[in-house]
Amino acid sequence: MKKQSKRQLEKIFDRCDIEETGYLNSEALYQALLILKLPVQLTDIEDIFDSVGRKKEGTIGIDDFINIVHELQTEDTELDKDDEFIPEEQEESKVQIVFDMLADTNVGGITLDSLMKVCAAEEPSWTQQQVMEMLNEADMNHDGIIDLNEFEMICKRMGIS
């Protein structure tokens, strides 16, 4: 597995730090590790926090995140290349996991604001108009929110599932 640069890891950290606190809780850490396709189960997260001395706090900063990723990547290279690791939770619905990361929990879907945050982290040059066009393309019922069904349909159209 190719090791990511510090900058790439910072981008993933920022993308998963939805509340922009500078820290990842257990769910956000799990999502970040799934993005990196690292061999981790949700049940492993408590042990990961413990391994960096953050079990009590329940959050990690960027430095701990980078250390965790590098440690897991080292362990991952020991896995047989033919053995594809898919976490049990990810088997159920990879699309659901991504949707949950992007969605505004207050409205239960992807809003313009939540999509703007993600797009700004990925490509700062995108304008609000461009992001609004993306939202409108995916928002089949034109309610201003991309719900899970709409998100799944877009993912299928793009060949992502």
Side-chain angles (χ1 to χ4, degrees), residues 45-61:
I45 298 300
E46 188 175 323
D47 291 336
I48 292 172
F49 274 104
D50 194 33
S51 74
V52 293
R54 300 286 184 221
K55 187 174 181 178
K56 184 177 178 182
E57 294 90 345
T59 60
I60 59 160

Side-chain angles (χ1 to χ4, degrees), residues 14-160:
D14 290 342
R15 184 184 332 164
C16 293
D17 180 16
I18 302 295
E19 296 176 9
E20 299 177 357
T21 61
Y23 296 94
L24 298 181
N25 62 19
S26 58
E27 185 178 313
L29 174 60
Y30 179 65
Q31 299 300 331
L33 297 176
L34 287 180
I35 289 169
L36 292 164
K37 297 181 178 150
L38 289 169
V40 65
Q41 299 288 342
L42 189 54
T43 55
D44 298 329
I45 298 300
E46 188 175 323
D47 291 336
I48 292 172
F49 274 104
D50 194 33
S51 74
V52 293
R54 300 286 184 221
K55 187 174 181 178
K56 184 177 178 182
E57 294 90 345
T59 60
I60 59 160
I62 185 65
D63 292 333
D64 287 327
F65 176 68
I66 291 170
N67 290 336
I68 289 166
V69 169
H70 286 158
E71 179 66 30
L72 289 172
Q73 285 176 331
T74 301
E75 290 174 11
D76 190 37
T77 58
E78 296 169 7
L79 292 176
D80 184 6
K81 297 293 181 201
D82 294 332
D83 293 336
E84 183 178 344
F85 179 85
I86 300 174
E88 293 166 15
E89 295 85 358
Q90 193 175 11
E91 284 177 1
E92 289 178 23
S93 175
K94 293 178 263 186
V95 173
Q96 176 74 53
I97 292 168
V98 174
F99 177 80
D100 290 343
M101 287 179 53
L102 299 173
D104 180 332
T105 55
N106 295 326
V107 296
I110 301 169
T111 64
L112 179 60
D113 287 340
S114 60
L115 195 54
M116 284 293 297
K117 285 180 185 175
V118 172
C119 290
E122 281 300 307
E123 183 54 57
S125 67
W126 284 350
T127 65
Q128 183 170 353
Q129 179 64 33
Q130 290 170 313
V131 175
M132 193 177 305
E133 288 172 9
M134 278 193 285
L135 179 87
N136 290 335
E137 176 71 25
D139 184 16
M140 310 285 180
N141 63 4
H142 306 292
D143 64 354
I145 299 169
I146 302 170
D147 61 33
L148 180 58
N149 291 333
E150 292 167 332
F151 188 70
E152 286 174 338
M153 287 176 28
I154 292 295
C155 289
K156 284 181 184 175
R157 266 200 272 167
M158 295 177 62
I160 303 168

